[in-house]
Amino acid sequence: MKKFFFLVGLLLCISIFQSCEKDTNNKPTEEVAPTLPLQETFVMPFTGYEDIDTTGLTSTITIDERSGPTGFRNWFYAGSNVLVWNVILGVNMAIPVASFAEAFNHDPAYIGDGVFLWTYNFNLGGETFIASLTGEFVNNNLDVQWIMNISMVGGFSNVEWYRGIVSRDNKTATWTLNHRPENPTPFIRIDYQKNDVTGEFSIQYTNIIPGNADFGNYIAYRIQVGQTFNRAYDIFRGSDDDFLEIEWNVPSGEGRVRNPAAYNDNEWHCWDTEKKDTDC
């Protein structure tokens, strides 16, 4: 009789263990939804270069077609190259940036298989859009995969606008941004890195449009802690094998630019706190 009760108890334990194991396997990877990534993993700063406007710099400025206003050529040339990227990205990233920012105002729902969903409306340019953002833990729960699908009321439906892999500590991120909602194709790859100890970080946008003449072109932004020029842009145009370097100081505003294609040398060309050309 004791053996009988022992066997019954053993079978019950095995049954309960198997039941618990099944329940555990059916649970999401994490009990709690992933935290939305920092916007800085996605959005490049263009502070100070949003609009290159020489109005009022001086009443006697003359314009050199290649370099800009006489007396302000170095700053103007640097800024005008940044402005080109700013305009391109401003047009093509308006919807993804707006959709990304709005996600912080909403809570997610668990939809199964370890996936959490944020769904909400947002308005832009007089149009209403519907965003569906999913977050899923990947790579042994070290990273989160984010996928954003967007629909426009009265327009396109369920277009994957971007996706990315972001580390849970927000130290690294890689995003792929699509464009043309009627026929989504890869447009920009975004690579982000941050060092929490030093405060340094970098973000780079690279053109990945298949077959495009500008494929491989990029702009990179860096914070260079402890250096005289503590902010920097690198701009590369592959078709011309043209590499442009820009460095400046925050908060003073003084800076320098180096671009052999424009200056016919490999020297730095500087500007002072008033954006006027000066010796380096």
Side-chain angles (χ1 to χ4, degrees), residues 190-255:
I190 303 173
D191 297 293
Y192 168 89
Q193 288 188 326
K194 182 176 183 179
N195 187 320
D196 285 337
V197 176
T198 65
E200 296 181 343
F201 86 86
S202 65
I203 183 169
Q204 177 172 314
Y205 292 168
T206 305
N207 183 316
I208 57 170
I209 301 174
N212 188 270
D214 294 327
F215 182 89
N217 289 4
Y218 67 79
I219 181 170
Y221 171 85
R222 300 188 307 279
I223 291 180
Q224 307 179 139
V225 177
Q227 298 188 33
T228 300
F229 299 106
N230 52 22
R231 301 291 188 274
Y233 284 113
D234 293 332
I235 299 175
F236 176 70
R237 291 183 285 265
S239 58
D240 300 323
D241 194 25
D242 184 13
F243 184 58
L244 168 68
E245 299 169 88
I246 304 167
E247 297 183 345
W248 75 102
N249 178 271
V250 172
S252 74
E254 60 185 325

Side-chain angles (χ1 to χ4, degrees), residues 64-123:
D64 179 292
E65 289 183 358
R66 186 169 183 82
S67 300
T70 302
F72 298 85
R73 291 177 177 175
N74 299 332
W75 167 80
F76 185 90
Y77 181 72
S80 61
N81 278 274
V82 174
L83 181 63
V84 170
W85 271 93
N86 194 8
V87 170
I88 293 171
L89 295 168
V91 172
N92 290 282
M93 291 193 67
I95 291 176
V97 168
S99 66
F100 189 84
E102 180 62 26
F104 291 87
N105 298 321
H106 303 274
D107 295 320
Y110 178 64
I111 60 174
D113 295 328
V115 180
F116 294 82
L117 172 67
W118 287 253
T119 183
Y120 49 88
N121 293 356
F122 66 97
N123 298 313

Side-chain angles (χ1 to χ4, degrees), residues 238-280:
S239 58
D240 300 323
D241 194 25
D242 184 13
F243 184 58
L244 168 68
E245 299 169 88
I246 304 167
E247 297 183 345
W248 75 102
N249 178 271
V250 172
S252 74
E254 60 185 325
R256 60 185 184 176
V257 58
R258 179 163 59 187
N259 183 215
Y263 290 96
N264 297 314
D265 60 42
N266 197 38
E267 304 299 322
W268 286 104
H269 298 264
C270 297
W271 63 87
D272 62 19
T273 57
E274 297 180 341
K275 300 183 176 64
K276 294 179 181 179
D277 295 347
T278 188
D279 293 333
C280 292

Side-chain angles (χ1 to χ4, degrees), residues 6-62:
F6 174 77
L7 289 173
V8 170
L10 181 61
L11 289 172
L12 284 172
C13 288
I14 292 173
S15 176
I16 292 171
F17 174 78
Q18 290 177 336
S19 175
C20 291
E21 187 176 37
K22 289 179 181 178
D23 287 343
T24 300
N25 290 337
N26 289 332
K27 286 183 179 181
T29 309
E30 293 281 334
E31 294 287 347
V32 180
T35 302
L36 290 166
L38 299 175
Q39 290 193 60
E40 70 178 33
T41 68
F42 190 81
V43 182
M44 179 178 291
F46 285 100
T47 305
Y49 293 95
E50 300 90 343
D51 183 20
I52 303 303
D53 183 3
T54 61
T55 303
L57 289 179
T58 173
S59 59
T60 59
I61 282 181
T62 58

